Amino acid sequence: MPEVTVISEDVAALARGREILRAAVFRPDVTNVEPEEFSRRLVGRTLRGTGRRGKVIVLDFGEVVGLVHLVISGRVLRLPEWREPDRMNTAVLEFEGEGEPLVLAFTRLWLGYFDLYEPGEEDKHPLISRLGPDPFSGDFTVEYLASAFDGKTSVKGLLLDQSVVAGLGNIYVDEVLFAAGVHPTRKAHTLGREEIQKIHAATCDILRRAIGLRGTTFDSYHDAFGETGKFQHQLKVFTRAGEPCPQCATEIIKSRVAGRGTHACPSCQHVS
Ligand SMILES: [Zn+2]
């Protein structure tokens, strides 16, 4: 989610207040409207602002709202000039402006989408309607987490569940649980109050720091401003299987929890 926040803010910084001159999608299945309608509904609209709901980027064009879900290495790139969409640059928008053209490409959307909704209707989107509280909202409290951590599901599975907490991804869940000293396989109902407080504090702290460092990127991707994320250098356990734990030097173990590759220190992170 830090990556989504960064992309959403980048798009706003570049394109807010600008009108769309051209808009196109590569294939009908990356959006919920016909390709011609995608273009017709966006051209002439001005980007008023951007936001994020869970992992979905919200683009506010006034009379129409764009919902963009970038999955697995989907990006927003700034192209030097207009280019018809292709398999890589799946949706392309050109904005008016003085001087250089501003062309943004939303990449690899065959795994995600760029849907158009009427204003106010976006709450009905399947990925938004079931979202739990955002970690940066006032609803995300220790009390809330304590009430959600009920039952025998693993704590990792619950934190990945977007209906429990909105926007947390695999990397950050592993880092949060390491910071909190809780093993990912722990059944949620076994967690003590102090552990839940640590998970809550670590979630806020790690997400904030990751956004400050423009997220985590494992490839050579440069964002719309030509920068890369820097949080990968701060990761304590994720992708560090076989390396010594930064706290106790025990070997970090990779396993599978809740269907996802999971990294943990068997010594620092309590299994019960
Ligand atoms: Zn350790």
Side-chain angles (χ1 to χ4, degrees), residues 178 245 247-250 265 267-268:
F178 175 77
C245 166
Q247 277 176 29
C248 75
T250 303
C265 171
S267 172
C268 294

Side-chain angles (χ1 to χ4, degrees), residues 42 56-61 64-68 114-117:
L42 284 176
V56 177
I57 298 167
V58 181
L59 304 174
D60 173 13
F61 294 103
V64 60
V65 175
L67 299 179
V68 182
F114 191 141
D115 284 352
L116 300 184
Y117 273 69

